[in-house]
Amino acid sequence: MNIAMLLEMAVTGDPDRIAVGPRGNDMSYAALRRTSAGAAAIVRARGARELVFAGLNRTTFPVALFAAAYAGVPLVPVNYRLSATALAELTARLEKPLVVADPEFTEIFAGHEVIPSPEFLDSGAAAEAVEDAAASEDDPAVLLFTSGTTAAPKAAVLRHRHLTSYILQTVEFASAGATDAALISVPPYHVAGVGSALSNIYSGRRMVHMGAFDPAQWLRLVREEGVTSAMLVPTMLARIVEHLDGRPADVPTLRSLAYGGARMPATVLETALRLFPDTGFVNAYGLTETSSTIALLGPDDHRAAIDSDDPGVRARLRSAGRMVPGVEAQIRSAGGAVLPPGETGELWVRGPQVSGEYRGLDSPLDEDGWFHTRDLARFDADGYLFIEGRADDTIIRGGENIAPAEIEDVLMTHPAVRDVGVTGLPDEEWGERIAAFVVLHEGIAADEDGLRSWVRDRLRGSKTPDLVVFKEALPYTPTGKLLRRQLTALDGAPAS
Ligand code: AMP
């Protein structure tokens, strides 16, 4: 099955239903199909082997996604915030790209075939459509460059069968009501952008796009557009909570709020649950290489956890929930032994939505088809998954393995702490020592000794930060990932 089939099904179900756009400037399913299939004819006529998308979240994105599928070439969404040099390096790795770029980004792609996105939409609407979905289920549907926080970006290959398996296993066809609307603020160059486009199309929900995230505007759009579901990365939810400053969110239509892409600080989530009392929260855990979500913690689990006095149930607020249908999981020790529930190790996953393939590199799957996520994790006795950070981020202090996340969680519960990142610094005596980079709430004071004792009182002494550095802000990717390795490079940080 090809991803264009998901759109074909939606058109057959209800051609006049609105697929995408804000009220008054929208596009029906039939129009989305016609425009995408018309745009596919342009892609084919230019002989392109890949369709690069360099733009903000707008109607052009789903059009480009399906145009690529109809034309039988992969879509390659790229991060328009990268430097011209970095973008040139990425596009140089493609065979024959045609670039659809928002007008403000077209210049960066000089030397390539470029179509400004408004022109791509207009020409698509006017062109004679490609009638057949050309791609087979084994063809690449999307190439996504990994964020490269630790190494040069790799091009993850998601084939049609990976993405359609994900949608068919997790989304119910035509399940959305006629007035349902999803607000999309995750960037199109992240797997969550691709996943949300496909799942909203398949369920029949109108998509409303937000180009650049802003908390006040996000709340306004939810109210004005009658938004019923939305997806955020943790840094976005933290900004909304901060913006609300204790006031209820007042978003009566918002039934579902999904978050993921990085670890959600428990304090932010607990506050959000209070400020959005009538909204169901969903934690979605996944990776680019797994076609997005592979584990989910649903609304009932969130409310049960927050209302519970049982520490085991309450702890589930920090869980990524249970694996989605079709995805198997194992926790393995560094030596490869499969570990029982309760023990922390590295998470391996397998299933039809798991690709794990990178363009031009050997398959990283083991001989039985398992993919190594490189996340440290454990399951509890009831099958709830707890993600404890990236294995690469582990600090080894005096021979003891320490997950930064555990110390971060404790520091986040200190009333003065707004944000924190913990990392290891090289140390002659201990191998590594623990450094905590802390952002304080405005007007609340805290000093290094106070924060160190806060941790010492709650965790073992060996997990007490050796050093606390106060910062104005911490560095994040647009998808909410802390750039841990940049912490030590920040102004005022100790030389490592
Ligand atoms: P990416 O492929 O860029 O989306 O990054 C995937 C990584 O993000 C995972 O391996 C996790 O480390 C992290 N991640 C994604 N979603 C979650 C989540 N819901 N909770 C904790 N970490 C997450």
Side-chain angles (χ1 to χ4, degrees):
M1 191 175 177
N2 168 324
I3 58 167
M5 291 300 294
L6 304 173
L7 175 58
E8 295 285 337
M9 287 172 74
V11 175
T12 311
D14 190 351
D16 298 327
R17 185 178 275 218
I18 300 305
V20 55
R23 285 173 176 151
N25 184 19
D26 50 34
M27 195 185 254
S28 68
Y29 277 91
L32 175 60
R33 188 202 173 278
R34 204 174 47 248
T35 309
S36 307
I42 299 166
V43 177
R44 279 220 188 139
R46 303 255 187 143
R49 304 290 296 271
E50 298 97 356
L51 184 62
V52 173
F53 178 81
L56 296 179
N57 249 326
R58 295 198 176 115
T59 300
T60 343
F61 178 62
V63 169
L65 179 64
F66 292 111
Y70 282 119
V73 303
L75 184 78
V76 191
V78 293
N79 180 352
Y80 42 81
R81 288 201 178 105
L82 293 176
S83 68
T85 324
L87 284 169
E89 272 168 27
L90 298 187
T91 41
R93 287 157 60 181
L94 303 175
E95 288 171 26
K96 190 168 187 301
L98 169 64
V99 183
V100 175
D102 284 356
E104 58 269 43
F105 308 124
T106 47
E107 248 176 48
I108 306 177
F109 295 95
H112 287 292
E113 278 215 58
V114 188
I115 308 185
S117 47
E119 200 182 299
F120 183 69
L121 273 187
D122 291 348
S123 325
E128 182 101 10
V130 165
E131 279 309 327
D132 294 315
S136 88
E137 65 164 26
D138 261 333
D139 288 332
V142 176
L143 300 183
L144 285 168
F145 286 101
T146 56
S147 47
T149 51
T150 53
K154 292 182 279 196
V157 181
L158 298 178
R159 296 180 184 272
H160 285 275
R161 62 186 155 83
H162 298 126
L163 291 169
T164 51
S165 299
Y166 163 58
I167 297 299
L168 297 183
Q169 288 281 11
T170 58
V171 185
E172 201 180 323
F173 177 62
S175 52
T179 56
D180 283 3
L183 181 55
I184 301 180
S185 50
V186 286
Y189 53 81
H190 188 258
V191 68
V194 175
S196 60
L198 295 177
S199 53
N200 286 312
I201 294 285
Y202 192 64
S203 60
R205 203 176 291 117
R206 176 170 67 105
M207 291 184 275
V208 179
H209 287 113
M210 182 169 191
F213 179 79
D214 170 79
Q217 209 205 336
W218 185 89
L219 287 161
R220 186 176 59 73
L221 269 175
V222 172
R223 289 178 202 127
E224 280 179 12
E225 294 287 334
V227 166
T228 51
S229 64
M231 154 100 207
L232 295 168
V233 299
T235 43
M236 293 174 181
L237 187 60
R239 286 182 61 195
I240 292 169
V241 162
E242 208 170 276
H243 172 83
L244 288 169
D245 197 17
R247 295 182 308 271
D250 184 22
V251 282
T253 55
L254 190 67
R255 292 199 306 271
S256 167
L257 184 53
Y259 62 89
R263 260 166 38 86
M264 173 65 82
T267 43
V268 172
L269 180 58
E270 281 171 25
T271 317
L273 280 160
R274 261 198 301 110
L275 303 182
F276 292 79
D278 303 318
T279 300
F281 281 69
V282 177
N283 185 2
Y285 162 77
L287 293 83
T288 304
E289 293 87 339
T290 62
S291 312
S292 182
T293 308
I294 52 173
L296 280 174
L297 184 78
D300 294 346
D301 282 324
H302 277 83
R303 294 288 166 197
I306 193 110
D307 292 339
S308 178
D309 296 328
D310 176 339
V313 176
R314 191 157 173 102
R316 287 198 188 136
L317 215 46
R318 306 232 294 276
S319 152
R322 292 189 162 105
M323 302 308 291
V324 301
V327 179
E328 297 171 89
Q330 282 183 347
I331 304 292
R332 297 190 192 169
S333 69
V338 177
L339 301 175
E343 286 191 34
T344 298
E346 296 178 12
L347 176 66
W348 291 70
V349 295
R350 179 168 77 170
Q353 72 177 77
V354 177
S355 153
E357 177 188 350
Y358 304 105
R359 196 176 232 203
L361 298 177
D362 290 340
S363 168
L365 304 186
D366 74 6
E367 63 272 26
D368 297 318
W370 291 89
F371 173 71
H372 186 191
T373 64
R374 300 191 182 282
D375 281 322
L376 287 179
R378 71 184 154 84
F379 281 99
D380 72 8
D382 297 309
Y384 286 82
L385 175 69
F386 290 78
I387 303 295
E388 297 181 350
R390 304 289 295 163
D392 305 343
D393 295 335
T394 302
I395 302 169
I396 306 177
R397 183 186 189 279
E400 185 184 357
N401 283 5
I402 297 169
E406 194 184 359
I407 303 170
E408 287 167 4
D409 283 350
V410 167
L411 279 168
M412 278 300 278
T413 62
H414 188 287
V417 175
R418 180 153 74 94
D419 200 5
V420 59
V422 168
T423 190
L425 295 178
D427 185 80
E428 281 194 10
E429 188 184 354
W430 294 99
E432 276 186 299
R433 61 203 162 114
I434 305 169
F437 294 79
V438 173
V439 181
L440 294 178
H441 282 292
E442 237 168 79
I444 315 184
D447 61 16
E448 177 165 4
D449 282 345
L451 294 179
R452 295 182 69 233
S453 353
W454 184 268
V455 179
R456 194 178 311 108
D457 293 348
R458 288 161 180 81
L459 295 175
R460 271 207 304 282
S462 57
K463 295 184 178 175
T464 305
D466 298 288
L467 189 77
V468 177
V469 183
F470 292 100
K471 306 302 311 172
E472 295 282 306
L474 303 182
Y476 284 95
T477 66
T479 50
K481 288 187 172 49
L482 178 65
L483 290 162
R484 217 172 278 280
R485 277 161 194 77
Q486 279 187 18
L487 288 173
T488 47
L490 294 176
D491 273 348
S496 55

